[in-house]
């Protein structure tokens, strides 16, 4: 399925967004992780301590930013080795939360993923939020 783009990557500024959702599937995350501007965009969220949600193969882009190192996270099972090699503590759980990152494995995990993502994203601007950056 294709959707029209309402803002091109060249025009998008991380400071204009409060949170980021990295898509699952194989094609989109694979295309994002080899696009330097997309990797820089994602890295800016981690550098700023903004919330990020990632499901399935979405962590491929996180690996490219260097932000997987030292995080406890999950993903589609085939990314286990890549995440471990990138310094992450990979676990086989339906959802993980580590600082500003929520991650899930697969479509069946979406209810738990959505609940944790909403919880994390709702903290944007909350008192004490800046202290975690």
């Amino acid at each position: 399925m294709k959707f029209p783009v309402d803002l091109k990557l060249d025009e998008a500024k991380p400071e204009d967004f409060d949170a980021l959702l990295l898509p699952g599937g194989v094609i989109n995350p694979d295309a994002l992780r080899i696009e330097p501007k997309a990797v820089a965009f994602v890295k800016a969220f981690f550098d700023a301590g903004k919330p990020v949600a990632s499901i399935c193969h979405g962590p491929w882009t996180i690996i490219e930013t260097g932000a997987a190192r030292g995080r406890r996270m999950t993903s589609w099972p085939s990314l286990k080795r890549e995440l471990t090699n990138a310094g992450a503590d990979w676990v086989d759980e339906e959802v993980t939360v580590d600082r500003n990152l929520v991650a899930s494995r697969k479509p069946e995990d979406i209810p738990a993923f959505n609940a944790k993502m909403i919880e994390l994203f709702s903290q944007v601007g909350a008192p004490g939020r800046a202290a975690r950056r």
Side-chain angles (χ1 to χ4, degrees), residues 23-37:
V26 176
I27 295 171
N28 290 326
D30 193 42
L32 285 175
R33 72 179 174 155
I34 62 169
E35 173 56 52
K37 290 178 183 177

Side-chain angles (χ1 to χ4, degrees), residues 105-118:
R105 304 169 298 188
K106 54 190 175 183
E108 292 82 6
D109 298 339
I110 287 175
F113 176 67
N114 284 346
K116 289 295 184 182
M117 178 177 58
I118 290 167

Side-chain angles (χ1 to χ4, degrees), residues 26-87:
V26 176
I27 295 171
N28 290 326
D30 193 42
L32 285 175
R33 72 179 174 155
I34 62 169
E35 173 56 52
K37 290 178 183 177
V39 173
F41 187 84
V42 174
K43 185 177 185 310
F45 280 80
F46 285 101
D47 290 348
K50 291 182 178 185
V52 176
S54 178
I55 190 165
C56 192
H57 287 77
W60 267 338
T61 310
I62 296 170
I63 291 168
E64 293 301 318
T65 70
R69 180 164 305 285
R71 291 185 187 269
R72 183 178 181 276
M73 59 189 297
T74 195
S75 68
W76 187 258
S78 65
L79 273 67
K80 176 182 179 179
R81 181 172 305 236
E82 289 177 76
L83 281 163
T84 301
N85 289 342

Side-chain angles (χ1 to χ4, degrees), residues 114-127:
N114 284 346
K116 289 295 184 182
M117 178 177 58
I118 290 167
E119 181 181 325
L120 182 66
F121 284 13
S122 71
Q123 295 174 12
V124 173

Side-chain angles (χ1 to χ4, degrees), residues 4-16:
V5 173
D6 60 355
L7 183 65
K8 293 181 182 180
L9 182 58
D10 287 338
E11 300 165 356
K13 298 176 187 165
E15 59 270 17
D16 292 341

